[in-house]
């Protein structure tokens, strides 16, 4: 599994809406062998960041697409630090 950080540009996003979308990801992820670990919201800038373990970018996006339709605008492979 590879670790990715994705970025969504969502003007007007709220913490509540992001929480709902994340819950849908969690309900869908097992079907794809993906783990959406954590997310962060910047309401002022209209950004949502998701940390996900997935076999590849396309599979990570497939979960978002099926769960709520909000695929990432950018995805970066990252390494976990302390």
């Amino acid at each position: 599994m590879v670790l990715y950080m994705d970025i969504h540009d969502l003007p007007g996003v709220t913490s509540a809406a992001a929480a709902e979308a994340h819950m849908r990801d969690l309900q869908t992820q097992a079907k794809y062998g993906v783990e959406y670990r954590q997310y962060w919201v910047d309401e002022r800038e209209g950004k949502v960041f998701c940390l996900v373990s997935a076999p590849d970018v396309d599979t990570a996006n497939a979960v978002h697409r099926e769960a709520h339709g909000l695929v990432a605008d950018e995805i970066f492979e990252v390494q976990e630090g302390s």
Side-chain angles (χ1 to χ4, degrees), residues 4-6 8 25 36 38-40 48-52 64:
Y4 298 100
M5 177 69 71
D6 73 20
H8 301 262
D25 287 330
Y36 273 89
Q38 195 168 356
Y39 70 96
W40 297 263
V48 176
F49 306 86
C50 303
L51 184 64
V52 56
H64 278 335

Side-chain angles (χ1 to χ4, degrees), residues 13-30:
V13 70
T14 64
S15 293
E20 176 63 30
H22 182 68
M23 184 60 65
R24 290 181 185 179
D25 287 330
L26 297 179
Q27 293 168 345
T28 307
Q29 66 186 6

Side-chain angles (χ1 to χ4, degrees), residues 28-48:
T28 307
Q29 66 186 6
K31 176 178 177 180
Y32 292 91
V34 168
E35 180 187 4
Y36 273 89
R37 295 181 174 193
Q38 195 168 356
Y39 70 96
W40 297 263
V41 181
D42 182 338
E43 289 182 344
R44 191 184 75 214
E45 295 295 326
K47 305 266 187 202
V48 176

